[in-house]
Amino acid sequence: MANTVPDISLNDGNTIPQLGFGVYQIEPKDTAEAVGRALEIGYRHIDTAQMYGNEAGVGEAVRASGLDRGEVFVTSKLNNGFHRPEEARRAFESTLSALKTDYVDLFLIHWPLPTRYDGDFVSTWKTLEEFQRDGRARSIGVSNFQVPHLERLAAEADVVPAVNQIEVHPYLTNEQVRAYGSKHNILTEAWSPIAQGRVLDDPTIVDVAEQVGRTPAQVVLRWHVQRGDIVFPKSTTPKRIEENFQIFDFTLDDTAMERISGLDKGEAGRTGPNPDEFDYIPA
Ligand SMILES: NC(=O)c1ccc[n+]([C@@H]2O[C@H](COP(=O)([O-])OP(=O)(O)OC[C@H]3O[C@@H](n4cnc5c(N)ncnc54)[C@H](OP(=O)(O)O)[C@@H]3O)[C@@H](O)[C@H]2O)c1
């Protein structure tokens, strides 16, 4: 079986590679090197954000790779401090200039911040709709939106988000939000897909990995893609960047899939903040 990354269709007609490379917590000075390595291995989808402070390194690596801009899918996300429309417009321009590109493939509202901005994330979303209309964001979506937040967008806005990027891994399978997404044609992107390493020594994961002759990280990433979600594991370790890419040349059977899904701990399994409460704004 060849190791080919599938392209998945978004609800706006664009496509996205199901496996990408995440750059959260990669130092700005190390980003171009890590992304360059990922592009050499074959990754064609990079997930960054304004709040990661490393968009410039992503752009630098894409240009240095010799690939055409159109061959690499680049996502960025709006800084929590810039939800008001005027600020969002300025911030979006700063993303394009940091990346040195005239469009992003996908732009997301990073967090809904329901306790900030008088609970208004709808005007922020309508501002992202402008970026899509003028072609500078090919697709637009949200991140960390809970079901009531998505319902509110459905009632008050025109465009259905192409994706919702949420925390998902074997300890937090996040079924309710995923189910809303599948019902409404919003793809789920699973962030912290290996729970930042925390699930890798779980005895069930280790056992499945031994059975299929793969590493725990490969098994967990494979579980995500068989569920239909998009993943972009982060690593600055060259061997792991390569390991995480080799997940399309084997399959997990139903029993293995169910054993891994059975590890869900619900809210107790969250590694990141709860989106209903999270209100962080960078200084
Ligand atoms: N929208 C959001 O709010 C949000 C929040 C969090 C993350 N994200 C996105 O999701 C991406 C991935 O999530 P994440 O970075 O939080 O965590 P992750 O990808 O689940 O895990 C990354 C950690 O696991 C280690 N690792 C990676 N591959 C491994 C392997 N094969 N074996 C053993 N350890 C391995 C890495 O170490 P080394 O680097 O030392 O190798 C790193 O410490 C982020 O980079 C970001 O793009 C989005």
Side-chain angles (χ1 to χ4, degrees):
M1 210 191 293
N3 190 66
T4 310
V5 180
D7 281 324
I8 309 196
S9 294
L10 300 168
N11 63 17
D12 57 14
N14 295 325
T15 61
I16 182 169
Q18 191 176 13
L19 173 67
F21 183 70
V23 298
Y24 176 46
Q25 292 176 329
I26 302 187
E27 290 293 323
K29 66 172 177 36
D30 301 329
T31 304
E33 190 186 332
V35 173
R37 171 83 56 164
L39 293 171
E40 258 171 45
I41 288 167
Y43 291 82
R44 292 291 179 268
H45 164 186
I46 312 294
D47 186 87
T48 182
Q50 294 176 348
M51 288 192 289
Y52 304 167
N54 56 19
E55 291 168 308
V58 171
E60 189 186 324
V62 172
R63 282 191 306 284
S65 69
L67 294 163
D68 286 342
R69 170 67 186 85
E71 291 178 78
V72 187
F73 190 103
V74 178
T75 299
S76 194
K77 320 185 189 84
L78 181 66
N79 184 310
N80 286 351
F82 303 132
H83 273 212
R84 290 196 185 85
E86 259 323 300
E87 290 166 341
R89 289 185 194 109
R90 271 198 298 274
F92 183 62
E93 277 166 25
S94 78
T95 278
L96 297 181
S97 49
L99 286 163
K100 294 204 175 100
T101 177
D102 48 13
Y103 71 93
V104 286
D105 295 277
L106 179 61
F107 195 67
L108 310 179
I109 299 182
H110 205 149
W111 289 89
L113 306 177
T115 63
R116 294 271 188 182
Y117 303 104
D118 300 319
D120 172 27
F121 45 75
V122 178
S123 64
T124 315
W125 176 249
K126 292 190 173 183
T127 311
L128 266 63
E129 290 180 354
E130 290 171 17
F131 307 154
Q132 186 176 37
R133 272 198 301 277
D134 69 26
R136 292 181 302 158
R138 299 266 164 100
S139 296
I140 54 173
V142 294
S143 178
N144 299 300
F145 273 46
Q146 305 275 56
V147 171
H149 307 140
L150 296 167
E151 284 171 338
R152 183 153 166 222
L153 286 190
E156 298 180 39
D158 296 325
V159 178
V160 177
V163 305
N164 186 18
Q165 183 177 129
I166 54 174
E167 180 177 349
V168 185
H169 45 69
Y171 289 164
L172 177 70
T173 58
N174 224 333
E175 299 307 346
Q176 228 195 333
V177 186
R178 289 180 73 252
Y180 182 96
S182 14
K183 189 161 172 216
H184 295 88
N185 212 4
I186 301 169
L187 282 177
T188 295
E189 297 192 324
W191 66 248
S192 292
I194 56 172
Q196 301 200 328
R198 288 181 185 86
V199 295
L200 300 182
D201 50 14
D202 184 283
T204 300
I205 308 274
V206 171
D207 189 45
V208 173
E210 279 167 8
Q211 276 178 19
V212 298
R214 294 291 177 137
T215 68
Q218 287 173 324
V219 159
V220 174
L221 295 169
R222 180 70 209 174
W223 169 82
H224 283 284
V225 302
Q226 283 187 214
R227 280 156 53 95
D229 291 354
I230 295 160
V231 281
F232 23 79
K234 170 263 171 187
S235 178
T236 43
T237 313
K239 221 175 121 267
R240 291 174 174 173
I241 302 178
E242 194 149 0
E243 172 185 329
N244 296 343
F245 191 70
Q246 302 300 323
I247 58 167
F248 295 99
D249 55 354
F250 74 105
T251 52
L252 297 175
D253 65 17
D254 291 348
T255 310
M257 288 295 291
E258 279 158 27
R259 286 181 72 199
I260 299 172
S261 302
L263 298 174
D264 183 31
K265 301 176 199 275
E267 278 305 308
R270 236 183 235 292
T271 62
N274 184 321
D276 288 319
E277 290 151 17
F278 191 58
D279 65 355
Y280 169 73
I281 287 186

